[in-house]
Structure formats: structure tokens, C-alpha cells
């Protein structure tokens, strides 16, 4: 069995965070930077061969000054990201070691991921070729007519909020990025590109605790969630899985035969 490469996109501009003094991935969360907390579950996962952290070119000097020793100790491959999140991932794909046949991509802005959730989505990605953490939409969804007034209520049945990690067979992910329309609308996650070349992705039960730091208030929420998680077994996700009372449908999917060639 091949090894796992982890890509940690950390090269965003943090425009929605609203703190000109620092990017959200470098904000401190209970004494440690957000990006380092996002990394934690992968540091103890037995299949990880290489972790690739993609930072913004403008952050390079600060990053080296503040984190060079830690990055060296953790044997991180630190590269510079691109304009859009997908450009960042595309650059990281070129750094994946030959030993890796599976790739996990996890937002550096998601610091509350547990080891249990990371292991679950990695296992599903290994088994089915493409998997992501996701939670079902629980609120009613409205569409805005551009003037702050509703135009419709969007049926929420079957709708999920995608999270990360997203885990893919390396060949599928590379084929998806090779077919990416660089000039077209930016893909906001990686599963979208893998779906576009004909692979359906397994929806693995995520957690409402696996939040993405986007605005300032998310940092306070993340601190509270980490407190809850550290108060219980950090290895288990304390939030009830959306499918707690029944196994997720993907558990019954046929296993992928790694020798079968799929798609393009
Ligand atoms: N060109 C980019 C854009 C985003 N990201 C990363 O992708 C994750 C999710 O992106 P998002 O939450 O949108 O981060 P930002 O782009 O920084 O946020 P904003 O849209 O508010 O600027 C983050 O870890 C971010 O650092 C990246 O590596 N490269
Ligand atoms: C990848 C992601 O976290 C899945 O929900 C999300 O699409 C990132 O979007 P962003 O606008 O780059 O934060």
C-alpha cells in the first residue's frame, strides 16, 4: 500500500478575517498558531509520508523567522501558494513524493479537526478513491435576489456543507487538476474538480466542530470548541455525528479494486 501526502493550503489573504495585522492561519489559538493546530492530526497518522504547507509569498519572511525551526523539526515541505486556493493545491501537487498514492488536502484554517475524523476520511479515501468530510444542511436556505430580499427557499434535502480533509487517489487528483479550467470560475474545493472528471466522492460524516476560521468571531468559537474537545477524549469527536443512529451509506459501497482503472 502506498503512502499518504498531506497538503495544507495556508496561502490565503484572510480578507474576511478583518485583522490587517495578521492572517487568520497565524492567529493564536490557546497558545498555538491556527495552522499548527490544523496540522496536529496528521503528525500522528501512521500513513503520512510528507506534509506540504503552502504559504503566501508575502508571508515567507515572517514564516521563516517564526517557524523555520519547527518546520524543519516536523520535516515540513514549505512552498509558496498561488492566487486562488486551487492554484495553491496545483503547486503542491508537484511536490508529492513518488511513494505517495493518496493525497489529503486540509485547510490550514480548520484547527479543530480531530484525529478520529482525519482517520475516518483518510480510510474512506483509501477505500473508495475520493472522500470528504461533510455535514448535512440543518438550516433552511434562502437565495438572495442581490438586494437583501429573498427570491426563493432552496430545498435542503440532500445538501451538505463540505469540509476538509478531502482525500483522493493521487492519479484521480492529478487528472482532475490537469483538466482544471484555469481561466474559468475558481473551484472552491478539490472534490468539485474530481467530480468534474466523473468520480463521485464519498460523504464521510464530519462535525459541526470542524469549523473553518473565516471571520474574527470564528476564532473565539474555535477556542471554545477546543476547550470542549480537550475536556473530553481529544481522540473522539464530541459532536454527535449526523448519522449517529445509522451507518453512513458509503459504508456499504463496494470496495475499489486498486488494479481497476477508472475514468480518464
Ligand atoms: N490562494 C489561496 C487561498 C486560500 N488558501 C487557503 O485555503 C483555505 C481556505 O481558504 P479561505 O478560508 O478562503 O482563506 P482566505 O482565502 O485567506 O480567506 P478570504 O477569502 O477571507 O481571503 C485557507 O487555509 C487558506 O489559507 C490558499 O492556500 N491559497
Ligand atoms: C475547501 C472548503 O473549506 C470546503 O468547504 C471551502 O470551499 C473553502 O472555501 P474558501 O472560500 O476558500 O474558504
Amino acid at each position: 500500500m502506498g503512502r499518504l501526502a498531506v497538503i495544507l493550503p495556508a496561502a490565503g489573504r484572510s480578507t474576511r478575517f478583518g485583522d490587517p495585522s495578521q492572517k487568520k492561519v497565524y492567529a493564536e489559538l490557546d497558545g498555538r498558531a491556527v495552522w499548527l493546530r490544523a496540522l496536529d492530526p496528521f503528525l500522528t497518522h501512521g500513513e503520512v509520508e510528507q506534509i506540504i504547507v503552502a504559504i503566501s509569498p508575502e508571508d515567507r519572511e515572517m514564516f521563516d523567522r517564526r517557524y523555520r525551526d519547527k518546520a524543519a523539526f516536523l520535516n515540513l515541505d514549505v512552498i509558496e501558494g498561488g492566487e486562488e486556493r486551487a492554484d495553491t493545491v496545483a503547486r503542491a501537487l508537484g511536490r508529492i513524493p513518488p511513494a505517495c498514492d493518496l493525497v489529503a488536502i486540509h485547510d490550514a484554517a480548520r484547527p479543530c479537526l480531530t484525529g478520529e475524523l482525519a482517520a475516518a476520511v483518510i480510510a474512506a479515501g483509501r477505500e473508495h478513491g475520493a472522500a470528504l468530510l461533510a455535514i448535512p444542511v440543518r438550516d433552511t436556505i434562502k437565495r438572495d435576489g442581490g438586494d437583501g430580499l429573498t427570491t426563493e427557499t432552496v430545498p435542503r434535502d440532500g445538501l451538505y456543507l463540505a469540509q476538509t480533509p478531502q482525500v483522493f487517489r493521487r492519479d484521480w487528483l492529478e487528472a482532475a487538476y490537469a483538466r482544471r479550467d484555469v481561466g474559468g470560475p475558481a473551484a472552491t474545493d478539490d472534490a468539485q474538480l474530481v467530480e468534474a472528471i466523473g468520480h463521485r466522492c464519498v460523504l464521510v460524516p464530519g462535525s459541526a466542530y470542524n469549523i473553518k476560521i473565516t471571520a474574527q468571531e470564528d476564532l473565539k468559537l474555535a477556542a471554545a470548541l477546543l476547550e470542549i474537545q480537550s475536556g473530553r477524549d481529544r481522540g473522539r469527536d464530541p459532536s454527535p455525528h449526523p448519522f449517529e443512529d445509522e451507518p453512513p451509506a458509503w459504508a456499504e459501497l463496494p470496495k475499489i479494486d486498486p488494479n481497476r482503472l477508472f475514468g480518464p
Side-chain angles (χ1 to χ4, degrees):
M1 179 171 75
R3 303 277 292 164
L4 173 69
V6 178
I7 297 173
L8 199 85
R13 285 181 290 273
S14 278
T15 47
R16 292 170 286 177
F17 189 56
D19 177 351
S21 71
Q22 67 174 350
K23 299 258 181 90
K24 60 189 180 182
V25 294
Y26 303 117
E28 202 171 281
L29 191 52
D30 194 17
R32 294 180 68 219
V34 164
W35 76 274
L36 278 168
R37 287 190 174 279
L39 206 54
D40 276 347
F42 303 102
L43 298 177
T44 53
H45 192 285
E47 290 179 38
V48 174
E49 175 76 15
Q50 179 67 59
I51 297 175
I52 301 156
V53 181
I55 65 173
S56 172
E58 69 200 25
D59 296 331
R60 168 63 78 175
E61 187 274 329
M62 175 279 296
F63 188 93
D64 287 347
R65 175 166 31 82
R66 199 183 291 181
Y67 302 113
R68 184 202 316 268
D69 295 347
K70 189 173 289 291
F73 177 74
L74 295 175
N75 190 31
L76 304 179
D77 181 7
V78 182
I79 66 167
E80 294 183 1
E83 187 63 22
E84 300 293 341
R85 184 183 182 280
D87 300 322
T88 294
V89 174
R91 290 187 180 194
L93 288 180
R95 305 285 298 190
I96 297 174
C100 299
D101 65 351
L102 198 67
V103 184
I105 303 149
H106 180 54
D107 293 333
R110 289 184 187 267
C112 299
L113 176 70
T114 62
E116 184 194 43
L117 282 177
V121 69
I122 290 167
R126 170 76 66 196
E127 206 164 292
H128 300 287
L132 68 145
L133 291 182
I135 55 174
V137 169
R138 297 175 177 153
D139 300 320
T140 296
I141 298 179
K142 303 292 183 185
R143 189 179 302 282
D144 171 7
D147 54 3
L149 300 173
T150 61
T151 54
E152 67 167 317
T153 294
V154 179
R156 68 184 185 198
D157 291 349
L159 292 188
Y160 285 76
L161 298 175
Q163 300 181 339
T164 68
Q166 302 191 359
V167 182
F168 308 97
R169 273 173 51 156
R170 176 187 188 155
D171 56 346
W172 290 5
L173 187 62
E174 288 174 340
Y177 267 83
R179 298 264 294 272
R180 175 171 74 111
D181 175 5
V182 178
T188 54
D189 78 346
D190 307 288
Q192 181 179 349
L193 296 172
V194 173
E195 291 154 7
I197 65 166
H199 300 297
R200 299 177 68 196
C201 303
V202 169
L203 292 161
V204 177
S207 165
Y209 288 39
N210 184 25
I211 65 168
K212 181 166 65 73
I213 307 291
T214 302
Q216 285 276 344
E217 63 262 24
D218 298 327
L219 210 54
K220 296 184 178 67
L221 179 56
L225 292 173
L226 287 176
E227 185 64 29
I228 293 168
Q229 286 175 333
S230 62
R232 303 179 193 171
D233 170 1
R234 274 280 281 160
R236 270 188 47 73
D237 173 16
S239 67
H241 276 221
F243 311 102
E244 201 151 50
D245 50 355
E246 80 233 5
W250 64 269
E252 306 308 319
L253 288 177
K255 307 289 180 279
I256 278 209
D257 170 0
N259 303 312
R260 277 175 57 193
L261 291 178
F262 274 80

